[in-house]
Amino acid sequence: MRSPSAQPKRSTAASIRRLLSEAYPERWSFAAAIAVTLGAMLAGLAMPLLMRRIIDGPVASGDLTTLLWLSGLFLLAGAIEAGMFYLRRRIIATPVTMLEKRLRLRLFAHLQRLHLGFHDRWPSGQLLSRMGGDLSTIRRWLAMCLVFFVANGTVVITGLAILFYLSPVFGLIELVAMLPMVVISWIFEQKYKTVARRAQDQEGDLTTTIEESVQGLRVLKAFGRGKDRLKIFSAQARALRQSELHKAKLLALLWPLTMLLPEIALAVVLVDGGLQVAAGTLTLGTLVAAITICTYLDWPTRSIGWLLAESNETASAVERYYEFMDTEPSIVEPKRPKRPARPVRGLLRFEDVQFQYPGSDIPLLRGFDLELKPGETVALVGATGSGKSTAIGLVNRLYDVTGGRITLDGVDIRDLGLAELRTLVSMAFEEAVLFSASVRENVAMGSDRPVTDEEIEQALAVAQALDFVRELPAGLDTQIGEQGLSLSGGQRQRLALARAVLAKPPVLVLDDPLSALDVHTEAEVEAALRRVMVDGTALIVAHRPSTVLLADRVALLADGRITVLGTHQELLHSSPEYHRLLSTMEDDVEAEVAVP
Amino acid sequence: MTALIDTEDRTELDAAANRELGARSRKLLFSLLRPYRTRVILTLVANLVHNMAILAGPLLIAAAIDRGVPAALRGDTQVLVLCGVAYAATSILSAALHGVFVMQLNRLGQDVLFDLRQRVFDHAQRLALSFHESYTSGRLISRMTNDLRTLWDLVDSGMDDMIMSLITMVGVAAVLITLDAPLALVLLLSFIPILLITRWYRRVSVELYRATSSSMAKAIVHFVESMGGVRVVQSFRREEPNERTMDGLAGEYQSAWSRSMVTLGTFMGSIRFSGNASIAIMLLIGAYQVHDGTLQLGVLTAFLIYLRRFYDPLDDIAMFANAYASASAAMEKISGVLATEPTVADPENPVPLTKARGEVRFTDVRFRYGPDTPQVLSTLDLHIPAGQTVALVGETGAGKSTVAKLVARFYDPSEGTVSLDGIDLRDLADTDLRRAVAMVTQESFLFSGSVADNIALGKPSASRAEIEAAAAAVGAHGFIAALPEGYDTDVRKRGGRLSAGQRQLVSFARALLADPAVLILDEATSSMDIPTERAVQSALETVLTGRTALIIAHRLSTVLIADRVLVVDGGAVTEDGAPEELIAQGGAFADLHRTWLDSIR
Ligand SMILES: Nc1ncnc2c1ncn2[C@@H]1O[C@H](COP(=O)(O)OP(=O)(O)OP(=O)(O)O)[C@@H](O)[C@H]1O
Ligand SMILES: Nc1ncnc2c1ncn2[C@@H]1O[C@H](COP(=O)(O)OP(=O)(O)OP(=O)(O)O)[C@@H](O)[C@H]1O
Ligand SMILES: [Mg+2]
Ligand SMILES: [Mg+2]
C-alpha cells in the first residue's frame, strides 16, 4: 500500500521551532542543562590552567607550601566537571522523556479519535512508525542535540570573539573558513531532509508489511507463500537500505568538509602567524594562544555536521508527526449538543440519506429512506456489496452521511453528543473484533458503567455463549489471543454479540450477527434475541431467511436505496427481486434433495 | 519452545541466564558479521589511517612552532610553510579517509541490518502458528523495528569515536610508559575503580534497557490492537480506557528511559571523576618526586599533558559501552525469536510428492492446542479417498476448523498421524504439501495491495487472464471489474475497501487459482447473499470433480453437494455417511436438516 504522504513542505527551522514550542513547559530544565554543559566546559578549561600553575609554581620553584592547596583546587575542578556531566543528564532525563510520553499519548489519543475515513486511507505501519521511531528520534534530539547546539554554538562564538581580540586577521581567517558551512548546510538541508523523509516513510511501509504478514499468516501458510512474502519484504528492506546509504553518502561528504574547513583555517593561521612572528608583528605567546583556541574550537565546529544531520532527521520526524496531528477529525462533536427527551424511545429514521466513499465517483447510497419505529426490529437485506454495512455504519457516525440526515427520536444524530449517540446505539460488526484481553473485558466493553459478572453472564446467555465460556480454562478470566483467534469462529461472533447486547441499548445494530453459527445455535440465539429486543429498536443486516424472521419488517436495499419494505411473507410474494435474493435456494433444495 | 522467549519480559535475571543470553546474542552478532570479515577489516584500516593522520596534526604544529618559527626568524620561511602545507595535507587526507570510513561503516551496517531483517522475517514466517498466537504481531513488530533500530544506533553512533579512542589510549599509554614506567604503574591502579564502575554499569544498564525494550513492545502491542480495531474502539467509546492503558505503558517506557539516562549520567560522571582524581594524585606524587629529584620536571610536564589525553577518550568508550548495553538487550530479544525452533517444521529428509492424488487419512489423532488447554479432538480415525467431497458439520466450537487446520498442517497432531496419499504430513516438504493442499480459512484475510495480487497469492505465476478466469468462476468478476481501477484497485488494509461478501469471493478465487488436489473450504460462503452463494456452489460442482474437498458449512445447502457428511461433536465424528443416508437414519444430521428446512421456509 502506498502511503499518501506528501513531500516536505516546511523548512527544518520551522519544524524545529514547532517542536521547541512543545518543549516550552520544560524550558527551564533545558536552560539548566545548557548552563551545566557550559559549566562543565569551563571546569574542563580550568584544569589545564591549574595544572600549569602547579608545575610553573610550586613544582618548578621547589616550594611545596601551596602545592596541596592548588592540588585541592584542581581536584575540585575535576569533581565539578564530573558532577556537571552527571547533572546534565540528571536534569534532562525526566523532562525529555516526559515530553516524549506526552507527544506519544497525544498522538495515540488523536488517532483514536480520527474518523474511519482516515484509518481507511493510511497503512497501519505508517501510524506505528510515527508512534515508535519518529518519537524516539525526537527524544534523542531533545536529549542530546538541543543542548549541544546551544552549548557548542556559544563556545564557537566565544572562541571567535577571543580570536578577533587576539588578532583580527586570525578571527577573519576562522570566520571565512566557517562561511562555506552556511552554504553547505543549506544545500545539505534540502537534500538530506528529502532522503530522511523517504527513509522514514519506507520504514513505515516495511512495518506495514511486517504487521500484515503476521496477521495474515494463516493465509500465507495455507498457500505456502512465506517465500513470496519474504521477497516483497526484502524488496522494501532493500529500498530502505538504499535510502539509508544515500543519507550516508551525503554524510560522507558533509562530515569531512565540516572537519576539514577548521583544519585548513588552522594551517593558514599557523603559517600566517609564524610569518608575523618572524616579522615581529606578533608575539609567539599570542600565536600559541590562538592555535590553542583553534584546536579547542575543533570539536564544536566539527559537531555542526552531526547536529545538522540529526536536526534534519528530527525535523522530518516532527513533520510526519504533525501531518497526523494537524488532520482534524471529520466526525466531531456538535457545538451545542442536544439531548434527546428521556426516556429515549428509539425512533430511528434515515431521511433521504446519501453516502459516497471518498475517492469513489458515484454515491453508494442515493436517497436511502427508512423508518424504524420504537421497539421495532427491521431486517436490512441486499446483495453482496449493496451497501448494507455502509448504511448501518452511519447510524453511530463511524462515517457521516454526505447528504440527507439520520434522526434519533427526531434529533439529527449529528446534533447529539458523540459519546451519547454511541451509548444509545450498540453495534456488532460482521467480523467480530476482539482484543487480547480476558473474555470479561471483551464483553464488558459494551457498557460505560462498571458491570457485574451477573450482567455479563446474562449477555453471554443471550448469545448462547455462556456454556462454552464456562468451559474455558479460566472461565470469564480466560485470555483470548490476539484478535480472539484462539476461539472458534462462532465463539468469536457470539462474544461480539454478547458485547453488543450487554448494555440493553435503545438501538441495537447487528451486521449479519449469526453468519458463523450452526442452525441449532442460531435458533437458540434468535429466540433469546427476540426476548431481549422487545424493548429496543433493532436494525439487523441479514442474508438468510432464518435471520430475517427475527424482524417485524424487512427492507430491501438495492441501487443505493430501500426499494421495498414489508414482512418477509409479503415480500416473498410481492417482490420478485426479494424472492430472488432470499428464496431461490428453497425450490432448488426441495427439488434436489427430495427426501425419501 | 516458549522456554527461550519466556524470559523476554523479565528484566532481572540470574547470572547463568544472563550468561546464556549474552552468549546467544554474541553468537548471532558474529554470525552476522562473518560474511563481511574483509570489509570489517578494511573499514577498520581506513579508520586507523584516518586517526593516525589526526594524531600527526599536533606534531606538525609543534614542529612549526619549535622549528619553523625560529627558522623564519632567521629569514628561512621554508620550514614554516612546509609545516603548514603538511598540516593541510594531513587534514585533507584524514578528512577524505573519514568520508570513506563513514560510507564503508554505513554500508556494512546496513548490509548486516538487511541480513538480520530478512533472517528474522523469514524465521517468523516459518514459526508455527502456536508461537504467533502467544507472541502477538505487536511484539514481533517491536523486535523488527524498535530493537533493530537500537542495534543500528550502535553502528551509527559511537563506533567511530570508540575506535579513535582506543587507538589514542593505546598510543598514549605507550608514550606514558616510555616516559616514566613507575608512574605509569600508578596509572594502572587508577583503572581498578574504572573497571568496577564499568562492571556495575553493565549489570544495571542491561536491566534498564531490557525494560525499555519490553515496555516499548507492550506499547506497540496495545497500539496495533487499538488501531486494528478502531471501529470497535470508537463504537464502544473505548478511547479513554485505552488511553489510560497507554498512559501506563508509555509511563513504564518513560520511567525506564529516564532511569537509564540518569544511570548513564552517574556512569559518565564517575568515570570522569576517576580520571580527574587520578590526574590529581599523579600530580601530587610527581610533584614530590620532582622535589626529591627522582623525576625531571620536563618529564612530569609531558606526562601530565599526555595523561589528560589518556582519560579524555574514556567518555567515548563509556558512550559506546552504553550503546552496546542497549544493543545487547535488543539482541537478546531478537536472538530469542531466532532461537525458537519452528515446531511445525520442514522435515530433514522429505518424502517427495510431485503429483498428489488427494487421499487424506487421520489415524488415532488426538489434538490439543496447548499443554494446558482441553483436548479438542479425541481419537479421530478418518479416511477420505481421493476425489471425495466431504462436508463437516457440527455445532460451533465442535472442532471442525481444527480438523481442517490439521489437514493443512497449521498444527501437528498431539498424537497419531495425518497423512496425504499415505505419507505422514510431517514427512512432506512444505512446498509439496502447499501445492497439494489449499485452504480458504474461516477469516478471509486480504493483504493491502491490488485485487489481482490478492488472487494471485494462490499462484504467483498466474497471468492476468488466469486471475480473471478464477474470479469469473466464482462470480466475482462483475464486481471487481466495476471497481474504480478494476483488478488493480487497492483493497487497503485487511481488504477494508471491499464488503465482507466480496472479500470471501476474492479468497475463494485465490483458492481456485491454486488448483490443489485437496481443497479445504472453512465457512467460505458464510457472508455471501444467497444468489452469490448459489453461483459459487454451482461453480464448485464443476471445480470439485477430480479433487478431494473438505467443506465446512453451517448452511446445509452447501453441505448437500457433498458425497459424504461427517457430523463432528465434542471432538469426535459421531455420524458418517452420504447426506441422504444420514437424513434417512434420523440422527443428529437429520435433525439439523429438519431445522434448516424449517428455517428457510
Ligand atoms: N472504505 C471503503 N471505501 C470505498 N469503497 C468501499 C469501502 N467500503 C466498502 N466499499 C464499497 O462499497 C460497497 C458496499 O460495501 P458494504 O460493505 O456496505 O456492502 P454490504 O452490503 O455490507 O455487503 P456484504 O453483504 O458483502 O457485507 C462495496 O462495493 C464496497 O466495495
Ligand atoms: N488457536 C487456538 N488455541 C486454543 N484453543 C482453540 C484455538 N482454536 C480453537 N480453539 C478451541 O478449540 C475448539 C474447537 O474450535 P474450532 O475452531 O475447531 O471449532 P469449529 O467447529 O470450527 O467452530 P465454528 O463453527 O464456530 O467455527 C473450540 O472450543 C475453541 O475454543
Ligand atoms: Mg456487509
Ligand atoms: Mg470454525
Side-chain angles (χ1 to χ4, degrees):
Chain A
M1 204 183 323
R2 278 302 320 142
S3 48
S5 65
Q7 280 299 303
K9 292 174 289 284
R10 297 165 144 269
S11 73
T12 296
S15 297
I16 294 287
R17 260 203 306 283
R18 189 152 186 200
L19 175 61
L20 290 182
S21 71
E22 294 285 357
Y24 188 73
E26 281 87 9
R27 63 193 181 285
W28 295 118
S29 306
F30 283 108
I34 290 165
V36 163
T37 308
L38 287 171
M41 287 179 178
L42 280 181
L45 206 57
M47 283 195 294
L49 298 181
L50 278 169
M51 202 144 87
R52 175 147 306 160
R53 273 286 298 279
I54 296 172
I55 293 174
D56 292 352
V59 179
S61 65
D63 171 19
L64 292 186
T65 44
T66 53
L67 176 67
L68 275 182
W69 182 77
L70 279 173
S71 304
L73 216 56
F74 180 88
L75 191 62
L76 183 69
I80 289 177
E81 190 196 32
M84 299 270 175
F85 265 50
Y86 163 75
L87 271 182
R88 181 166 74 73
R89 289 198 160 77
R90 167 81 245 203
I91 292 171
I92 217 79
T94 310
V96 165
T97 51
M98 286 307 273
L99 179 58
E100 183 198 10
K101 179 182 161 191
R102 201 162 69 220
L103 292 177
R104 177 165 286 133
L105 286 178
R106 227 194 291 151
L107 179 64
F108 181 63
H110 187 69
L111 286 176
Q112 286 203 99
R113 282 175 179 78
L114 275 174
H115 47 283
L116 276 179
F118 172 90
H119 288 278
D120 286 346
R121 207 156 51 87
W122 281 90
S124 47
Q126 292 295 348
L127 311 190
L128 193 63
S129 61
R130 279 163 175 81
M131 178 83 175
D134 289 351
L135 285 177
S136 301
T137 305
I138 291 175
R139 177 198 53 231
R140 199 168 57 183
W141 189 84
L142 285 171
M144 296 277 291
C145 302
L146 178 56
V147 171
F148 279 122
F149 225 141
V150 182
N152 290 0
T154 314
V155 172
V156 169
I157 291 171
T158 319
L160 271 180
I162 298 177
L163 270 185
F164 267 107
Y165 168 78
L166 288 177
S167 151
V169 182
F170 292 164
L172 265 180
I173 292 171
E174 189 77 14
L175 195 63
V176 166
M178 282 182 185
L179 277 183
M181 298 261 239
V182 180
V183 183
I184 292 170
S185 56
W186 187 75
I187 299 173
F188 180 74
E189 177 189 328
Q190 310 289 315
K191 292 223 159 102
Y192 191 80
K193 207 166 134 219
T194 320
V195 190
R197 171 71 201 232
R198 194 189 321 139
Q200 286 163 350
D201 286 344
Q202 282 167 337
E203 189 159 344
D205 289 340
L206 202 64
T207 311
T208 307
T209 305
I210 300 169
E211 181 175 341
E212 288 200 329
S213 305
V214 179
Q215 295 184 345
L217 195 70
R218 282 167 189 75
V219 171
L220 294 176
K221 290 229 187 249
F223 292 94
R225 291 291 167 250
K227 287 279 174 263
D228 301 85
R229 203 69 195 159
L230 177 64
K231 254 182 240 151
I232 297 177
F233 176 81
S234 299
Q236 283 180 333
R238 202 168 292 125
L240 173 62
R241 171 175 162 277
Q242 218 52 46
S243 303
E244 292 288 351
L245 287 182
H246 193 159
K247 267 162 62 182
K249 206 176 285 170
L250 289 172
L251 290 181
L253 281 175
L254 175 78
W255 283 350
L257 272 177
T258 54
M259 204 178 229
L260 190 57
L261 287 171
E263 298 287 346
I264 298 289
L266 185 66
V268 175
V269 167
L270 190 63
V271 174
D272 177 66
L275 292 178
Q276 281 193 50
V277 172
T281 51
L282 195 76
T283 63
L284 185 60
T286 317
L287 177 61
V288 172
I291 286 173
T292 313
I293 288 171
C294 282
T295 44
Y296 208 75
L297 287 187
D298 199 39
W299 186 71
T301 0
R302 200 148 45 93
S303 72
I304 290 175
W306 164 67
L307 289 171
L308 263 180
E310 291 285 326
S311 302
N312 278 306
E313 186 106 29
T314 304
S316 123
V318 170
E319 225 167 62
R320 273 164 55 88
Y321 178 81
Y322 284 110
E323 198 170 48
F324 282 3
M325 292 306 289
D326 291 343
T327 310
E328 292 293 332
S330 70
I331 311 269
V332 288
E333 292 281 347
K335 292 247 160 48
R336 245 173 274 108
K338 289 188 189 143
R339 279 181 66 88
R342 300 284 151 163
V344 177
R345 293 160 53 232
L347 172 69
L348 183 67
R349 263 164 76 171
F350 292 77
E351 299 173 14
D352 189 29
V353 166
Q354 315 276 332
F355 182 79
Q356 183 166 3
Y357 277 109
S360 70
D361 27 332
I362 42 159
L364 185 59
L365 301 180
R366 308 178 282 269
F368 183 102
D369 280 303
L370 183 64
E371 179 178 298
L372 285 82
K373 299 197 190 66
E376 191 184 28
T377 300
V378 172
L380 184 62
V381 302
T384 285
S386 57
K388 305 178 294 297
S389 303
T390 308
I392 63 166
L394 301 174
V395 177
N396 74 351
R397 294 189 68 202
L398 288 177
Y399 293 92
D400 264 344
V401 296
T402 47
R405 61 180 202 149
I406 298 173
T407 62
L408 182 61
D409 284 2
V411 185
D412 189 326
I413 54 168
R414 282 168 296 184
D415 292 332
L416 293 173
L418 207 51
E420 162 133 49
L421 172 69
R422 289 177 177 167
T423 314
L424 295 176
V425 180
S426 196
M427 287 255 186
F429 298 95
E430 48 199 347
E431 258 151 45
V433 180
L434 299 178
F435 298 98
S436 52
S438 66
V439 172
R440 178 188 287 105
E441 286 167 279
N442 268 290
V443 176
M445 244 172 233
S447 175
D448 290 332
R449 301 169 291 105
V451 285
T452 61
D453 279 6
E454 218 180 341
E455 286 173 277
I456 291 182
E457 286 180 3
Q458 271 173 15
L460 288 172
V462 171
Q464 304 301 317
L466 195 51
D467 288 344
F468 93 78
V469 169
R470 286 210 173 119
E471 278 169 24
L472 289 174
L476 275 178
D477 292 312
T478 311
Q479 296 286 321
I480 55 177
E482 190 178 16
Q483 296 169 36
L485 283 174
S486 62
L487 297 174
S488 86
Q491 290 169 341
R492 281 200 297 276
Q493 198 171 38
R494 282 176 289 158
L495 286 191
L497 184 62
R499 175 200 289 162
V501 299
L502 175 73
K504 304 201 179 67
V507 180
L508 186 61
V509 179
L510 306 175
D511 197 349
D512 208 6
L514 310 172
S515 62
L517 303 187
D518 62 279
V519 280
H520 279 317
T521 314
E522 183 179 1
E524 285 164 23
V525 175
E526 277 171 15
L529 268 181
R530 231 179 245 124
R531 260 177 279 128
V532 297
M533 286 192 317
V534 284
D535 300 328
T537 308
L539 181 58
I540 301 180
V541 172
H543 280 308
R544 316 284 155 202
S546 51
T547 321
V548 167
L549 286 173
L550 262 178
D552 303 313
R553 288 190 299 158
V554 192
L556 174 65
L557 173 61
D559 298 326
R561 45 193 199 85
I562 301 296
T563 50
V564 288
L565 188 64
T567 66
H568 178 58
Q569 288 306 330
E570 278 167 29
L571 295 189
L572 269 184
H573 294 111
S574 65
S575 164
E577 201 179 355
Y578 186 81
H579 190 272
R580 195 185 69 82
L581 197 62
L582 272 133
S583 82
T584 24
M585 300 304 285
E586 204 175 340
D587 321 328
D588 201 52
V589 168
E590 303 270 332
E592 233 177 63
V593 198
V595 185
Chain B
M1 167 205 68
T2 40
L4 286 159
I5 52 163
D6 68 355
T7 49
E8 228 178 45
D9 284 335
R10 276 190 289 145
T11 51
E12 281 171 54
L13 298 169
D14 58 42
N18 259 328
R19 234 179 334 225
E20 198 186 318
L21 282 181
R24 196 177 69 195
S25 321
R26 269 193 302 280
K27 211 174 114 199
L28 175 60
L29 191 64
F30 285 126
S31 81
L32 283 167
L33 285 175
R34 200 167 304 125
Y36 302 107
R37 262 171 316 202
T38 43
R39 274 167 62 193
V40 172
I41 293 169
L42 279 180
T43 311
L44 287 180
V45 168
N47 192 253
L48 214 76
V49 179
H50 154 74
N51 283 317
M52 303 281 205
I54 286 188
L55 287 179
L59 295 180
L60 284 169
I61 293 177
I65 291 175
D66 295 348
R67 298 217 201 110
V69 175
L73 279 173
R74 274 180 269 114
D76 173 18
T77 55
Q78 211 181 351
V79 183
L80 183 65
V81 174
L82 205 67
C83 283
V85 171
Y87 188 82
T90 53
S91 303
I92 292 172
L93 175 71
S94 100
L97 278 171
H98 185 63
V100 171
F101 169 74
V102 168
M103 202 55 221
Q104 284 306 321
L105 183 68
N106 272 274
R107 192 164 283 153
L108 185 66
Q110 284 296 334
D111 283 348
V112 168
L113 210 61
F114 178 74
D115 289 351
L116 184 58
R117 273 209 176 97
Q118 266 192 321
R119 217 192 271 191
V120 178
F121 188 88
D122 186 38
H123 193 77
Q125 289 287 318
R126 283 189 290 120
L127 282 171
L129 279 175
S130 50
F131 168 85
H132 289 282
E133 274 159 12
S134 59
Y135 201 73
T136 71
S137 59
R139 270 213 274 174
L140 204 60
I141 292 171
S142 172
R143 294 292 94 87
M144 295 192 64
T145 56
N146 192 47
D147 290 339
L148 275 186
R149 190 168 327 109
T150 314
L151 213 59
W152 173 242
D153 283 345
L154 179 65
V155 180
D156 190 31
S157 68
M159 195 74 102
D160 181 16
D161 294 333
M162 215 281 296
I163 296 170
M164 164 96 178
S165 306
L166 279 182
I167 297 169
T168 317
M169 282 186 80
V170 171
V172 173
V175 174
L176 288 177
I177 291 171
T178 50
L179 276 176
D180 189 83
L183 209 51
L185 264 183
V186 182
L187 183 79
L188 267 186
L189 289 182
S190 81
F191 260 71
I192 293 171
I194 290 177
L195 284 179
L196 287 178
I197 295 167
T198 310
R199 246 188 56 177
W200 161 82
Y201 182 69
R202 255 190 44 188
R203 194 167 41 76
V204 184
S205 65
V206 152
E207 276 168 23
L208 287 169
Y209 285 120
R210 271 182 203 141
T212 60
S213 162
S214 58
S215 57
M216 190 47 161
K218 281 188 237 162
I220 288 180
V221 169
H222 183 57
F223 184 84
V224 167
E225 272 208 312
S226 306
M227 292 302 133
V230 72
R231 214 172 259 278
V232 169
V233 168
Q234 296 189 346
S235 297
F236 290 97
R237 302 160 309 286
R238 297 298 296 165
E239 293 95 340
E240 275 169 34
N242 274 353
E243 274 154 40
R244 279 197 296 275
T245 311
M246 187 53 99
D247 189 90
L249 297 175
E252 249 178 68
Y253 182 70
Q254 181 272 327
S255 91
W257 254 112
S258 172
R259 271 180 296 147
S260 71
M261 278 168 82
V262 173
T263 313
L264 177 62
T266 313
F267 175 53
M268 299 287 284
S270 321
I271 294 272
R272 190 30 83 118
F273 183 74
S274 311
N276 287 345
S278 54
I279 296 178
I281 292 169
M282 226 122 15
L283 186 60
L284 269 183
I285 298 176
Y288 282 109
Q289 282 187 336
V290 172
H291 187 69
D292 296 346
T294 46
L295 190 71
Q296 281 181 319
L297 180 61
V299 175
L300 177 65
T301 313
F303 199 92
L304 287 174
I305 289 172
Y306 275 110
L307 202 54
R308 227 182 122 70
R309 281 242 187 134
F310 182 72
Y311 285 114
D312 267 346
L314 270 181
D315 286 354
D316 296 326
I317 292 177
M319 281 308 283
F320 185 80
N322 172 54
Y324 186 77
S326 163
S328 53
M331 253 339 213
E332 279 173 11
K333 315 228 152 162
I334 296 172
S335 64
V337 173
L338 287 176
T340 309
E341 294 290 336
T343 45
V344 182
D346 241 14
E348 303 232 331
N349 304 307
V351 179
L353 178 71
T354 37
K355 186 89 188 72
R357 284 175 295 116
E359 180 201 11
V360 176
R361 192 189 284 274
F362 280 69
T363 319
D364 288 331
V365 169
R366 287 164 202 267
F367 182 71
R368 58 179 77 234
Y369 278 96
D372 32 53
T373 56
Q375 183 151 308
V376 178
L377 298 181
S378 48
T379 352
L380 190 63
D381 272 296
L382 189 62
H383 177 233
I384 304 174
Q388 196 173 53
T389 302
V390 176
L392 285 176
V393 300
E395 298 218 339
T396 92
K400 306 179 293 295
S401 301
T402 308
V403 171
K405 287 188 265 184
L406 288 177
V407 176
R409 203 177 173 220
F410 282 8
Y411 306 90
D412 279 333
S414 318
E415 281 171 48
T417 54
V418 181
S419 63
L420 175 67
D421 289 359
I423 307 169
D424 189 335
L425 294 188
R426 281 170 290 211
D427 294 330
L428 276 176
D430 196 55
T431 42
D432 286 342
L433 174 66
R434 299 304 163 198
R435 201 178 325 111
V437 180
M439 170 162 172
V440 179
T441 53
Q442 198 163 2
E443 42 294 317
S444 52
F445 188 98
L446 301 192
F447 293 92
S448 53
S450 71
V451 180
D453 286 348
N454 268 290
I455 298 178
L457 200 104
K459 182 184 172 193
S461 61
S463 67
R464 183 51 70 90
E466 282 177 276
I467 292 174
E468 291 187 12
V474 297
H477 182 74
F479 94 81
I480 299 174
L483 290 170
E485 290 163 67
Y487 281 82
D488 295 316
T489 312
D490 184 351
V491 299
R492 307 230 185 100
K493 55 185 150 194
R494 317 198 102 224
R497 168 75 183 68
L498 303 181
S499 86
Q502 292 169 340
R503 282 196 289 273
Q504 284 196 332
L505 283 172
V506 172
S507 308
F508 218 115
R510 172 151 82 193
L512 280 196
L513 190 63
D515 188 28
V518 180
L519 181 63
I520 307 169
L521 304 173
D522 191 354
E523 296 276 336
T525 59
S526 62
S527 295
M528 296 178 192
D529 64 37
I530 294 175
T532 310
E533 186 175 30
R534 199 174 126 75
V536 169
Q537 266 157 28
S538 59
L540 268 185
E541 294 191 38
T542 48
V543 165
L544 293 187
T545 46
R547 271 184 232 281
T548 309
L550 205 59
I551 303 179
I552 301 175
H554 291 308
R555 313 294 144 218
L556 295 203
S557 51
T558 318
V559 170
L560 293 172
I561 63 170
D563 303 322
R564 176 178 170 199
V565 172
L566 302 173
V567 179
V568 183
D569 188 20
V573 173
T574 52
E575 288 177 33
D576 181 349
E580 302 80 18
E581 264 171 55
L582 293 184
I583 292 170
Q585 266 171 25
F589 183 69
D591 191 30
L592 275 179
H593 184 250
R594 207 170 26 255
T595 320
W596 175 70
L597 277 184
D598 289 346
S599 78
I600 60 172
R601 283 227 171 80

